Amino acid sequence: MVSATGKIQILDPRPEEVPEEKGLSSGVPSLEGKVVGLLENRKYHADSFLMELQRVLEEDYKARKVVYASKFTFSMACADETIDALVEECDALVHGIAD
């Protein structure tokens, strides 16, 4: 709103906090004998896609084990406990989304 002095107030919509930047980890040269985590976001068909991916990882890429986890909901960040467990157990992680 314009005041009697002819000034307006401009609001900055950007967040005040600067998000932490993280780099990518080094790639895994082969999935053979590795543990691969699959993280589902609970969107429609994400589970179907990841179940097929699990089959491909085990049969074609010879992954030793596939660990399946789900987020509580697609609209929120994954629980820290879930991420920590996947990081502890897995050599690689796929976050599957779908619609």
Side-chain angles (χ1 to χ4, degrees):
M1 175 174 226
V2 178
S3 68
T5 62
K7 294 182 181 180
I8 61 172
Q9 180 181 9
I10 298 175
L11 302 176
D12 185 350
R14 295 176 295 183
E16 292 180 17
E17 295 180 14
V18 177
E20 178 185 356
E21 292 187 26
K22 294 185 178 183
L24 297 175
S25 60
S26 59
V28 179
S30 171
L31 296 177
E32 186 171 347
K34 303 289 187 205
V35 177
V36 180
L38 300 179
L39 179 59
E40 181 205 332
N41 71 341
R42 298 219 178 205
K43 282 200 168 191
Y44 190 62
H45 290 306
D47 58 341
S48 300
F49 169 74
L50 290 176
M51 296 274 188
E52 179 62 18
L53 179 58
Q54 179 175 353
R55 184 193 64 74
V56 170
L57 290 169
E58 292 171 341
E59 293 177 11
D60 297 346
Y61 290 90
K62 308 298 183 221
R64 178 172 56 86
K65 180 180 176 183
V66 176
V67 177
Y68 195 94
S70 296
K71 290 174 56 174
F72 179 70
T73 178
F74 65 87
S75 63
M76 295 176 58
C78 187
D80 289 340
E81 301 82 33
T82 302
I83 294 292
D84 292 344
L86 289 168
V87 167
E88 181 70 29
E89 187 173 5
C90 302
D91 298 299
L93 178 64
V94 176
H95 182 196
I97 57 174
D99 266 332

